[in-house]
Amino acid sequence: MMKREEKRRILIGLIKKMKADDNLPLKKSANNLVFGEGDVDAKVLFIGEGPGYWEDQKGLPFVGNAGRLLNELLETIGLSRKEVFITNVVHHRPPNNRDPEQFEIKAYQPYLDKIIEVINPKIIVTLGRFSMAKFLEGVTITQVHGKIKKAFFNGREIIVIPMYHPAAGLRNSEIKKKLFEDFKVIALVLKDVLNKNSSNGKQNILQERLI
Ligand code: URA
């Protein structure tokens, strides 16, 4: 088990490396690196798509409108941003908030992988289809949102809970409703991970969501 200080040291080194990496394809057009933020010992790691306007201005993830909804979603399950870690598949803003291209996602991948390795979370929550695709193949977000999936990362089994992107929730009230329902699953899984023995009622819900 890596100590908190050791984790911080490695991640600070990684930030320096990213800032110096001129091969990162979205770097030139961006104002700031958006590395991610939160508890380096977080049990839950959220992975979004990429920085938007405000994230690029501030150098922080999810600080615009989608971020406000994410904060609200976290609050309803009793989690604060300080208790989780939040990052993205690309760490510079794609021009005009366009979708990241495959080669761009690939260029940032070694950095994202290192972040995951260092944080070593119990649960990864993917926000939107780009981060979902990193762990789950051949599925659509409509099929699997809010389900508890298992994926392999670095030779270790990890729980992945795919979610709609909060920005999609802002555009569509049905999706917003689903986001609030699906976020409850995070709280249940977290409780289960922390306690190991959950009550039967909760177990049923967990099983329903397990595919
Ligand atoms: N949308 C994302 O996917 N990531 C952010 O950091 C902000 C908005």
Side-chain angles (χ1 to χ4, degrees):
M1 269 274 284
M2 215 187 286
K3 289 221 176 78
R4 181 181 284 274
E5 265 321 299
E6 173 77 352
K7 288 184 170 190
R8 276 177 47 79
R9 192 183 58 75
I10 296 172
L11 292 178
I12 288 166
L14 200 61
I15 292 171
K16 280 195 186 135
K17 201 169 160 194
M18 290 187 89
K19 283 189 172 167
D21 186 349
D22 290 330
N23 289 322
L24 289 175
L26 296 164
K27 187 181 172 198
K28 258 206 182 109
S29 54
N31 287 304
N32 277 302
L33 173 74
V34 180
F35 179 79
E37 69 165 355
D39 182 358
V40 297
D41 270 339
K43 300 274 183 293
V44 191
L45 171 65
F46 289 82
I47 309 177
E49 186 178 312
Y53 175 83
W54 285 109
E55 290 77 22
D56 179 54
Q57 291 289 317
K58 297 186 177 176
L60 295 169
F62 283 97
V63 288
N65 287 334
R68 210 165 313 130
L69 178 54
L70 178 60
N71 292 347
E72 215 183 298
L73 287 159
L74 286 170
E75 225 170 84
T76 57
I77 57 164
L79 281 177
S80 77
R81 281 177 72 125
K82 288 200 179 109
E83 294 171 271
V84 301
F85 198 93
I86 305 173
T87 188
N88 285 303
V89 288
V90 299
H91 305 88
H92 290 116
R93 182 193 184 202
N96 302 314
N97 294 351
R98 64 159 170 75
D99 287 347
E101 305 270 357
Q102 277 315 307
F103 80 93
E104 291 165 345
I105 293 174
K106 252 207 170 114
Y108 289 84
Q109 186 186 325
Y111 293 109
L112 175 58
D113 286 353
K114 192 71 189 173
I115 294 172
I116 300 170
E117 186 194 318
V118 173
I119 307 263
N120 195 23
K122 300 279 187 222
I123 304 165
I124 291 180
V125 178
T126 58
L127 301 170
R129 62 200 162 94
F130 290 98
S131 52
M132 179 184 78
K134 178 174 176 64
F135 301 98
L136 308 173
E137 279 174 16
V139 293
T140 66
I141 204 153
T142 316
Q143 293 167 333
V144 298
H145 68 89
K147 306 273 189 201
I148 304 156
K149 309 284 278 182
K150 299 254 167 81
F152 274 91
F153 182 81
N154 258 350
R156 182 172 85 84
E157 201 178 64
I158 192 153
I159 297 168
V160 175
I161 311 177
M163 299 280 170
Y164 283 111
H165 195 288
L170 292 177
R171 291 190 294 266
N172 179 320
S173 61
E174 278 306 307
I175 288 184
K176 189 172 179 181
K177 225 191 280 168
K178 290 202 168 100
L179 269 167
F180 277 95
E181 281 166 22
D182 291 346
F183 259 65
K184 290 184 196 153
V185 176
I186 303 173
L188 290 177
V189 175
L190 192 55
K191 214 164 187 182
D192 201 50
V193 162
L194 296 176
N195 300 338
K196 284 287 164 222
N197 50 350
S198 57
S199 76
N200 283 340
K202 278 175 190 152
Q203 202 60 45
N204 284 341
I205 298 170
L206 284 175
Q207 275 162 15
E208 267 171 40
R209 293 276 179 163
L210 195 62
I211 59 165

